[in-house]
Amino acid sequence: MKAKKLIEYNDLVAEYKLSDGDIIYLEKKNTKAPRGFTLHQVKAGESMHSISQIYGIRLKNLYKLNRQSADYVPEVGTLLRVR
């Protein structure tokens, strides 16, 4: 797989260095979470990107589902829509 596709599928920037435990996708992510998941409560250390990786949602769609701009940083305890 080309690095460009891996970067695209995982909403990364070219300079990002993968770490142990990172969730990565080898194909395009979905527009919303699988059935059964509707809300996510933000925990310490989570970002919009990490939440999008947990549920396999495109980052731009996670922002859109929650009516937030790309510079939004969720606070611990916030409930985010994932579906």
Side-chain angles (χ1 to χ4, degrees), residues 39-44 46 51 55 75-80 82:
L39 295 174
H40 175 86
Q41 186 170 16
V42 179
K43 298 170 196 72
E46 289 184 328
I51 295 165
Y55 294 99
E75 294 182 17
V76 173
T78 301
L79 286 176
L80 295 175
V82 293

Side-chain angles (χ1 to χ4, degrees), residues 34-50:
R35 292 180 194 261
F37 297 100
T38 54
L39 295 174
H40 175 86
Q41 186 170 16
V42 179
K43 298 170 196 72
E46 289 184 328
S47 64
M48 292 294 275
H49 181 263
S50 67

Side-chain angles (χ1 to χ4, degrees), residues 7-8 22 31-32 48 50 55-56 62-63 67-69 71 81:
I7 290 166
E8 177 187 334
D22 281 352
T31 57
K32 53 189 172 185
M48 292 294 275
S50 67
Y55 294 99
L62 183 58
Y63 282 114
R67 297 184 178 134
Q68 298 295 335
S69 63
D71 59 351
R81 292 184 59 191

Side-chain angles (χ1 to χ4, degrees), residues 1 6 11 24 54 72:
M1 169 177 275
L6 190 65
D11 303 303
I24 60 164
I54 291 168
Y72 172 71

